[in-house]
Amino acid sequence: MELVRNAYDADARHCHIRLADAGEPGGSLMVADDGDGMTAEDLASGFLLIGSSGKTLDGGRHTESGRRKVGEKGLGRISALRLGHRVSVRTKPRSEPGAEYALDIDWDRIDKAQAVEDVLHEVRRTDTTEEPGTEIIVHDLREGFAEAHASRLARGLLLVSGPPTRATTFRITCDAPGFVALERDVMSPWEQFTEAVEFRLVAELDENGQARAVLYNWRGEPEYQGDHADVARGRTREARGKPPVLQFQAPAAFLEVWTFNLNPGASAELRHVRQDTEALRSWLKHVGGIHLFHRGLRVQPYGDRGDDWLAINARRAGSPEGRPSTNNSFGGIWVDDADDVLRPKTDRSGFVDDVAFLELQAFARHALDWAAERRIDRREARRVGQVRKTRDMAVAAEEELNRVLEAASDRAPTLFDSEAGPSDVARIKVAARDLVATKQEEIQALREDLLLYRTLATVGTSTAVFAHESIKPAARIVNLLKSVRTRLQRLIGSEDYAAGFANPIESSISSAETVNTFARLPLDLLAKRKRRPENVDIDVACRETVELFMPYLRLGRIEVQLDLDARQSTVRTTVADIESIVSNLLANAAHAFTREDETDRDRVIRISTCRDGAVVALAIHDSGPGIRGLKVHEIWQPGRTTRDSGTGLGLTIVRDIVADLNGTHRAEETGELGGASILITLPTTDAVETDS
């Protein structure tokens, strides 16, 4: 790869590599290019000067064609030449037409000499009619290239100047075991896989550290666009208020990522029917991942197999919706780095992890996060709307079928005899078919909900098991501590006990009792009786839920104010539904007081209810810092949370329950207590009965 970089810096358009008998020690490696070649002076003062590349001695950082030179120290070239015992160089400089210079290096002679200067290297000149370029042959290789090594080399060479989607003026060919087949597998399929792209992310970072991004759908149409404030959200200089979004302290960069659907059976898109998924998997096995291209050439190891330098697999595991992985996507970041802020490591394996490089990573990760959030936006808008739409359609279809059947029953004696008109039968068929079709759509829309709530059910079941098993040990600890307290008071007296032991023992008893209460909380919430549909009194349900949480709230020094004035309004649902709404909102409000940017203030949560015509309103206000780090509409989406240990599912559950009950939900960034406010309305039982 170092010799290929040399060819690139020589303005070559074509570089060819050949491995001859290289499977065992003693073979040879050739790298030939059609670049500018080297003069005798270049060979003497640059090529043979260890530790200096000779590329910037004249102050030039660009080639004649405008390429930004990628070589720096010349150390990589020396390491490459040392792969064999001997090296021969033939070069034809563009600046001296008709001239060829040759040089031979015998490393064994150099190794035996007392000083490098003792071995003279003669540069020979001959006449030639060949075109400019350089050929370097490393003879008598010290180690053989195994097939796996050759395959890895071939993959690196194929991707050296970017994915096959991008035009390049630098072409590489290779005559090596496994290369021909790999070249066919990697380069040829791109055109046939363009239709399999699920979405494409394009993001740019300008020279001022400002980012912007566009997310394209599979048709190539831009669906979402984000400016710097959107892409870099969360990078703020201050903790409170609305501070400016920090710039990225990295060189200008361009990011492009193509993501594919490798599970077409789970997609409703008919275009996936024609997709050759196995061929796509095989292709992505070679090119998958996000690579880094510095000044036009790929930098290893970024994007190599096993090198997930942007942690996209880990981020996908934590939140799989709409995120790429190294198995289902490929792309790259292109950086020109005109000011040389990215510093290569001494061993040439990537860049030093300084501020510039870490900020470049941060830009890419923020752009990927932004794209994933937009994908969730799209899915949630479709899912929530589709569930309600299909439910309404199913109700309408069922009513139509009932009307048809009622009309048919009035004419039952003649409906199906020879005198019945064909329009009667046709009408029944159409109504029945519409009902079946809408029911199927409703089932399909609910399947996505099923996946989410199946996960939650698993968590709930596990929590219930652990809670049940925790109750007895917690109670035993309380009893043992109380027994210790009694014995100590008897042995040393009440005064000595109060002076030396009261605080730790009483604190331990209080903590154990809290654990016991917390263990009972999920069991109470999961009680079977609470899952039966009934007319639920909102005020009663709110008060009982708060009582369940009081030990937790007292531990957090949180005052709860109840202003329940729904006047015995009931909602046709289950107690579990109302408890889920209130408990999730309570937990969110309580968490607001534990944030790192939260100052020491009075911790107050106010829960209020009231009857407003045909609906009952439920509001929860807190005195915390308000909604931070997310836009107000985003807090309802699954996986969106400001908590490091949060699931981002609590408010999604609230939203879905409210939607199922034909209610409304709304959030305010700052409410009447200074923190967040959540406002819920639900139709009352008498309103539902009146409508029906």
Side-chain angles (χ1 to χ4, degrees), residues 2 12 30 71 77 85 121 131 159 203 276 284 324 357 370 375 401 405 456 500 507 534 538 555 581 625 659:
E2 290 295 332
M30 182 199 77
R77 179 186 63 252
H85 291 274
H121 292 95
E131 294 295 320
L159 295 174
D276 187 346
L284 287 172
F357 181 74
W370 172 85
R375 294 278 296 170
L401 180 60
L405 292 177
L456 293 175
S507 176
E534 58 181 282
I538 294 298
L555 197 64
I581 293 174

Side-chain angles (χ1 to χ4, degrees), residues 251-528:
F254 177 85
L255 167 69
E256 191 167 16
V257 180
W258 297 262
T259 303
F260 300 84
N261 186 345
L262 297 182
N263 187 19
S267 174
E269 298 281 1
L270 293 177
R271 63 192 178 91
H272 290 299
V273 173
R274 303 186 303 273
Q275 176 176 301
D276 187 346
T277 304
E278 288 308 311
L280 177 58
R281 288 181 188 275
S282 176
W283 179 64
L284 287 172
K285 183 179 179 181
H286 297 305
V287 304
I290 299 178
H291 311 277
L292 176 59
F293 299 90
H294 187 246
R295 299 173 185 167
L297 291 185
R298 179 172 175 267
V299 180
Q300 292 177 297
Y302 309 118
D304 283 349
R305 293 179 188 173
D307 184 82
D308 184 11
W309 68 292
L310 293 178
I312 60 176
N313 289 340
R315 297 165 90 82
R316 177 179 170 85
S319 177
E321 179 65 34
R323 286 189 178 274
S325 71
T326 56
N327 297 321
N328 72 350
S329 66
F330 84 95
I333 302 176
W334 284 263
V335 187
D336 184 60
D337 191 18
D339 296 326
D340 298 319
V341 297
L342 297 179
R343 296 186 297 125
K345 294 180 180 178
T346 304
D347 62 0
R348 306 287 284 170
S349 62
F351 295 105
V352 175
D353 289 344
D354 55 13
V355 172
F357 181 74
L358 295 176
E359 284 285 277
L360 182 66
Q361 284 184 304
F363 155 68
R365 289 171 176 167
H366 272 77
L368 290 166
D369 288 344
W370 172 85
E373 291 164 5
R374 301 292 75 76
R375 294 278 296 170
I376 292 175
D377 289 345
R378 180 176 181 272
R379 186 206 65 179
E380 286 302 295
R382 184 184 70 247
R383 184 175 72 86
V384 174
Q386 188 65 17
V387 169
R388 178 170 292 184
K389 177 182 175 182
T390 54
R391 185 177 60 222
D392 294 342
M393 289 172 58
V395 170
E398 188 171 356
E399 291 175 350
E400 174 63 18
L401 180 60
N402 287 333
R403 282 194 294 269
V404 172
L405 292 177
E406 287 176 5
S409 64
D410 295 337
R411 302 174 54 207
T414 60
L415 181 60
F416 295 108
D417 60 21
S418 58
E419 297 179 4
S423 62
D424 296 314
V425 178
R427 188 180 176 194
I428 294 176
K429 287 183 177 179
V430 170
R433 188 163 51 245
D434 288 346
L435 178 59
V436 172
T438 54
K439 284 295 184 182
Q440 288 177 337
E441 289 184 18
E442 185 178 22
I443 292 170
Q444 181 63 35
L446 291 172
R447 280 178 178 166
E448 293 188 29
D449 280 352
L450 176 63
L451 296 177
L452 171 63
Y453 289 101
R454 183 178 291 164
T455 301
L456 293 175
T458 302
V459 174
T461 303
S462 301
T463 302
V465 171
F466 295 139
H468 187 271
E469 295 300 319
S470 300
I471 288 176
K472 290 182 180 179
R476 190 179 304 118
I477 292 172
V478 171
N479 292 333
L480 288 172
L481 287 170
K482 289 181 177 179
S483 176
V484 170
R485 177 178 62 188
T486 301
R487 293 185 182 185
L488 278 173
Q489 289 175 333
R490 190 179 301 154
L491 287 172
I492 65 176
S494 298
E495 292 185 4
D496 289 341
Y497 169 80
F501 298 94
N503 284 339
I505 290 181
E506 297 302 322
S507 176
S508 299
I509 291 174
S510 176
S511 297
E513 288 176 338
T514 300
V515 170
N516 189 291
T517 303
F518 286 171
R520 295 182 184 279
L521 177 60
L523 296 177
D524 200 304
L525 291 173
L526 291 169
K528 183 178 180 180

Side-chain angles (χ1 to χ4, degrees), residues 585-636:
L585 296 181
L586 261 178
N588 262 31
H591 166 70
F593 300 115
T594 66
R595 289 176 44 154
E596 293 182 358
D597 59 352
E598 171 60 3
T599 58
D600 189 16
R601 67 172 82 186
D602 291 338
R603 300 182 173 190
V604 180
I605 297 175
R606 180 183 300 156
I607 302 176
S608 61
T609 62
C610 67
R611 177 70 181 263
D612 185 10
V615 301
V616 60
L618 165 66
I620 293 189
H621 314 277
D622 67 66
S623 62
I627 298 173
R628 300 270 187 84
L630 290 176
K631 294 181 179 179
V632 173
H633 76 276
E634 293 175 340
I635 66 173
W636 306 101

Side-chain angles (χ1 to χ4, degrees), residues 130 236 242 245 471-472 485 617 661:
E130 296 180 4
T236 53
K242 291 188 176 180
V245 179
I471 288 176
K472 290 182 180 179
R485 177 178 62 188
L661 297 176

Side-chain angles (χ1 to χ4, degrees), residues 20 111 123 134 185 261 481 512 541-542 561 579 588-589 655 666:
D111 292 341
V123 177
T134 299
D185 291 342
N261 186 345
L481 287 170
C542 287
Q561 300 174 352
E579 283 189 344
N588 262 31
R655 181 201 65 188
R666 180 164 61 90

Side-chain angles (χ1 to χ4, degrees), residues 9-11 36 58 61-69 94:
D9 283 341
D11 254 347
D36 292 336
D58 59 356
R61 293 181 177 273
H62 292 81
T63 67
E64 288 295 327
S65 68
R67 288 180 185 168
R68 186 72 161 80
K69 295 179 181 179
R94 194 178 303 278

